Amino acid sequence: MWFSEIFCSAGWLSIAFAKSALWLDIGRLSIGFGVGMICYVVPVYIAEITPKNHRGSFVSANQLMTTSGFALVYFIGTFISWRALAMISAVPSVVQIIGLFFIPESPRWLAKCGREKEFEAALKRLRGEDADISEEAADIIDYIETLEQQTEASFLELFHRRYSNALIVGVGLMLLQQLGGNGPMAYYATNIFEAAGVSSTIGLQISAIIQIPVAIGGLLLMDRSGRRPLLLVSASGMCFSCFIIGISFCFKESPHLKALTPVLALTGSLVAATAFTIGLGGIPWIIMSEIFPINVKAQAGSLVTLVNWSTSWITTYTFNFMMEWSSAGTFFFFSGVGGLTVLFVAKLVPETKGRTLEEIQASLAPFL
């Protein structure tokens, strides 16, 4: 986390003080490295330090902060210059660089490294000085010892049959999350609104405002309703909203229905932003932090992060070409991915609410 924030801080400062396009590219590349690391490491860290009954809410709080940051930047960005926005964006990274010196290391990582005294001290600090950690500590130690006896941590080990279920769930969720189109819809929101005849400023401001209360609602529901129901609602919402946007572009070609295009496009975009925020935006990262055993967590994290951001790049790069081909067809494709996501979640994604990490991983690795 510390290294990732170094990259992010350097990236934002490079953009803020850029004298040429090269420095803008260097800044964006640096931020990309930082975000690529931290988007997986933070959910993993939170999942490893929190009790099972509150794990979902704690990891969802990370998504709430991320959503709030996006919303705030979208809103402020309509009023100030991009250089000022880059300077503001560097502040949280610098604050976190300092703050990371005051938080404990993950107890599970300490146990895996054989640092038992530090493991117990970190767990005691996280649970409270008066808490009885003996049972939880014993479960963690026993599970890690089992893993170390039967496996060796290597990248190829990740593709062993015992990890196949977790790998299918992890890679599948990351692919479907990005193929659903939220990335290009966010990056090209201005273009989409203008193409549909909607004021881009109003559209961005409304989208920014609604996402924060939606993220709060998702946080409150996470450990009550569970991951699967929220994922199913989210994917269904993305399917419906993208279909509505596709219909709006179809109406644009009809003289009698053209007037409905801005209303339907704005409504579909707001529903999509809401649906993505409540589930698909953060829950796949929560599940990633829960399903992979600690001995392959680094390798699995690298793989799913690579899949996620590679797919994001592909969908973002091809979005303009798809829109030139067919605006309606582009969103009907995203709608179809949303429908496929519903089926994938219903058939393959396990519910992880109220279960320890060791229970979840053992259920997905029956051959361990």
Side-chain angles (χ1 to χ4, degrees), residues 205-330:
Q205 289 178 349
I206 295 175
S207 297
I209 291 170
I210 67 169
Q211 287 188 55
I212 296 177
V214 171
I216 293 173
L219 171 64
L220 297 175
L221 290 172
M222 184 61 62
D223 282 321
R224 290 179 173 83
S225 63
R227 283 58 153 167
R228 274 169 51 89
L230 286 179
L231 275 177
L232 290 170
V233 169
S234 178
S236 299
M238 288 296 292
C239 178
F240 173 75
S241 60
C242 289
F243 184 79
I244 291 297
I245 298 173
I247 290 292
S248 74
F249 281 107
C250 288
F251 286 176
K252 188 178 180 181
E253 306 301 323
S254 172
H256 303 292
L257 299 173
K258 188 175 182 179
L260 294 175
T261 296
V263 175
L264 289 177
L266 179 60
T267 301
S269 297
L270 296 179
V271 173
T274 300
F276 189 82
T277 300
I278 203 171
L280 281 169
I283 294 179
W285 292 106
I286 295 175
I287 292 177
M288 295 311 100
S289 69
E290 297 173 324
I291 61 175
F292 293 110
I294 196 167
N295 64 314
V296 294
K297 190 159 284 188
Q299 298 90 326
S302 299
L303 178 62
V304 297
T305 302
L306 175 64
V307 168
N308 184 276
W309 290 109
S310 298
T311 311
S312 176
W313 179 83
I314 291 169
T315 56
T316 303
Y317 181 78
T318 59
F319 181 74
N320 282 329
F321 299 109
M322 293 178 68
M323 289 290 283
E324 289 177 7
W325 161 68
S326 172
S327 299
T330 299

Side-chain angles (χ1 to χ4, degrees), residues 161-179:
R161 186 181 178 186
R162 64 170 62 92
Y163 304 121
S164 59
N165 292 339
L167 200 61
I168 290 170
V169 171
V171 172
L173 279 178
M174 289 305 176
L175 278 172
L176 293 169
Q177 182 198 50
Q178 294 298 342
L179 288 175

Side-chain angles (χ1 to χ4, degrees), residues 71 74-75 78 186 189-190 193 199-209:
Y74 266 112
F75 191 82
T78 60
T190 299
F193 286 136
S199 169
S200 59
T201 300
I202 294 175
L204 288 173
Q205 289 178 349
I206 295 175
S207 297
I209 291 170

